[in-house]
Amino acid sequence: LVARRVGANHHHIKALTPHFFSDLDYLIQFNDGPILESSIVLLWKKKQAADAAGVNVFLSGLGGDEVFMGTLHYLSDLFRGGKWIELAQELRGMYPVDYSTGKRTSLEELFRSYVLAPLMPEWIRRVRMVQLGQRFPPKWVASALVARTGVGQTLPKTDAPTFPTAYGQWSYELLHHEVVGGVIPYQDVVSSAVGVETRYPLLDIRLVEALFALPREWKLYRGKVRVLQKKAMAGLLPDEILRDHLKKNFHPTLNRFLREAYQQPIEDLLTSPKPMVREFVDWPVLDAYYRSFVSGRVSDPSPLWGAMNLEKWLSAEWGSNSSCE
């Protein structure tokens, strides 16, 4: 719709092919370490296609969600402030369907994740050993490694809050840790690998500071997302985009593809006589997780991706006959 509106030439890239992992060894070598997650491979293939088409400068929309929208943790601010009627109105705007995704929602999950979780005191999180809603350290990390390094004795220390509200703090942490600290370095790695420059206009410091100072209602309001951005783009974008903008998450499609694509490389890893990664991974837990993943009982392939990447990196750095101690 947007391409037709502005007269652009829209390119489709078919990335989920049997050759999905073909450049992974090169990417790990170029990154000088394991790759964070499988979506980096999709990013790499996009940069490759751009380079092949003669495009050497990218304008990325990275930061759009974090700057123009933020997170749903403002629900806990309403709860803590005793604004019960407003909280009910906001929940009604995103239940039973989230209009920004088109998917059904769970009232219990919304309340647990965005009302109660942000209110959990730090000491309770440390007692429960839960970091960002997940067990720390993960079960698939070898217990011997945990004991030797002490990584499982306490949670990583968090910085003092920068914002007085849960909405401001969680929006800031998402931008600071995941985008600036995580995604951008990988963008730079895959961009430089093919000689493509990537720029981030939505992360201009003046724009970020201005939008973080705006009231939350200009971004998220009763199930509506990107309120200010949509008003600003009225007349420029097609009405269908402004009215029915659905944020489609590519991870379910990618993970469904990986259920089959992982079978050979993970089977090879699990049956390898002397895998170097075995010093760092709990083998029975990884094997059980793999069986659960390919059967569809779990959807997150992160432990499998981590183990495969770490094995490739260790083998390339030290060789299969050396110890990693």
Side-chain angles (χ1 to χ4, degrees), residues 91-109:
L91 287 171
R92 187 175 181 181
M94 59 189 73
Y95 175 82
V97 174
D98 181 346
Y99 292 105
S100 68
T101 64
K103 295 182 178 180
R104 294 189 63 83
T105 56
S106 163
L107 191 60
E108 177 186 355
E109 181 63 27

Side-chain angles (χ1 to χ4, degrees), residues 13-42:
I13 302 171
K14 188 174 179 59
L16 303 184
T17 70
H19 305 291
F20 184 77
F21 296 118
S22 60
D23 295 321
L24 186 54
D25 288 321
Y26 171 74
L27 271 176
I28 292 173
Q29 180 184 9
F30 198 89
N31 184 63
D32 198 26
I35 302 298
L36 179 67
E37 61 169 48
S38 50
S39 63
I40 304 299
V41 178
L42 299 179

Side-chain angles (χ1 to χ4, degrees), residues 209-229:
E209 289 181 343
L211 288 173
F212 262 81
L214 287 178
R216 180 268 308 167
E217 291 81 357
W218 288 31
K219 303 178 184 182
L220 289 169
Y221 183 71
R222 297 186 184 177
K224 299 178 180 179
V225 300
R226 299 169 175 263
V227 177
L228 174 65
Q229 191 179 27

Side-chain angles (χ1 to χ4, degrees), residues 64-85:
D65 286 342
E66 295 77 15
V67 173
F68 284 94
M69 189 169 69
T71 73
L72 297 180
H73 293 85
Y74 72 91
L75 298 176
S76 68
D77 296 322
L78 298 177
F79 181 84
R80 183 171 52 184
K83 300 179 179 179
W84 315 114
I85 295 177

Side-chain angles (χ1 to χ4, degrees), residues 6-320:
V6 302
N9 185 12
H10 190 95
H11 294 268
H12 293 268
I13 302 171
K14 188 174 179 59
L16 303 184
T17 70
H19 305 291
F20 184 77
F21 296 118
S22 60
D23 295 321
L24 186 54
D25 288 321
Y26 171 74
L27 271 176
I28 292 173
Q29 180 184 9
F30 198 89
N31 184 63
D32 198 26
I35 302 298
L36 179 67
E37 61 169 48
S38 50
S39 63
I40 304 299
V41 178
L42 299 179
L43 186 64
W44 160 253
K45 293 181 183 297
K46 182 175 71 171
K47 306 289 186 181
Q48 272 189 317
D51 179 55
V55 175
N56 54 24
V57 177
F58 255 107
L59 291 181
S60 171
L62 195 64
D65 286 342
E66 295 77 15
V67 173
F68 284 94
M69 189 169 69
T71 73
L72 297 180
H73 293 85
Y74 72 91
L75 298 176
S76 68
D77 296 322
L78 298 177
F79 181 84
R80 183 171 52 184
K83 300 179 179 179
W84 315 114
I85 295 177
E86 188 176 352
L87 175 61
Q89 291 171 334
E90 290 290 339
L91 287 171
R92 187 175 181 181
M94 59 189 73
Y95 175 82
V97 174
D98 181 346
Y99 292 105
S100 68
T101 64
K103 295 182 178 180
R104 294 189 63 83
T105 56
S106 163
L107 191 60
E108 177 186 355
E109 181 63 27
L110 284 170
F111 203 85
R112 183 173 65 248
S113 299
Y114 300 110
V115 177
L116 298 181
L119 301 177
M120 184 185 297
E122 183 68 18
W123 69 269
I124 292 182
R125 270 194 282 266
R126 292 189 174 278
V127 169
R128 296 181 60 189
M129 294 299 289
V130 174
Q131 180 82 348
L132 298 177
Q134 299 180 354
R135 182 185 184 274
F136 179 86
K139 291 182 179 180
W140 56 271
V141 176
S143 56
L145 177 66
V146 171
R148 188 168 73 245
T149 60
V151 70
Q153 295 176 3
T154 182
L155 289 176
K157 292 184 179 180
T158 57
D159 298 330
T162 304
F163 290 82
T165 64
Y167 172 77
Q169 186 62 29
W170 282 78
S171 298
Y172 164 74
E173 291 188 5
L174 185 63
L175 176 67
H176 179 69
H177 294 294
E178 293 198 17
V179 176
V180 178
V183 181
I184 287 183
Y186 277 99
Q187 282 266 5
D188 291 342
V189 165
V190 295
S191 294
S192 59
V194 294
V196 171
E197 178 184 351
T198 302
R199 301 175 184 175
Y200 314 98
L202 298 185
L203 293 178
D204 183 289
I205 186 63
R206 297 162 297 181
L207 180 63
V208 172
E209 289 181 343
L211 288 173
F212 262 81
L214 287 178
R216 180 268 308 167
E217 291 81 357
W218 288 31
K219 303 178 184 182
L220 289 169
Y221 183 71
R222 297 186 184 177
K224 299 178 180 179
V225 300
R226 299 169 175 263
V227 177
L228 174 65
Q229 191 179 27
K230 287 185 176 182
K231 288 184 177 180
M233 298 303 292
L236 299 175
L237 289 177
D239 291 339
E240 296 92 333
I241 298 295
L242 298 173
R243 183 184 65 244
D244 303 320
H245 172 68
L246 298 181
K247 180 70 175 181
K248 293 183 174 65
N249 189 338
F250 63 82
H251 278 97
T253 300
L254 176 58
N255 292 346
R256 190 162 56 246
F257 164 79
L258 290 175
R259 281 200 182 96
E260 181 174 345
Y262 265 139
Q263 292 189 21
Q264 191 59 55
I266 298 299
E267 288 281 358
D268 290 344
L269 178 61
L270 291 172
T271 57
S272 175
K274 292 184 178 180
M276 301 186 75
V277 76
R278 197 158 189 157
E279 294 185 36
F280 308 98
V281 175
D282 187 309
W283 221 238
V285 171
L286 185 71
D287 182 76
Y289 195 93
Y290 167 66
R291 307 300 168 191
S292 297
F293 179 73
V294 295
S295 66
R297 292 195 298 272
V298 297
S299 59
D300 179 18
S302 297
L304 308 175
W305 177 260
M308 183 176 69
N309 271 256
L310 186 56
E311 177 67 18
K312 284 178 173 291
W313 180 59
L314 292 172
S315 298
E317 290 293 313
W318 287 284
S320 59

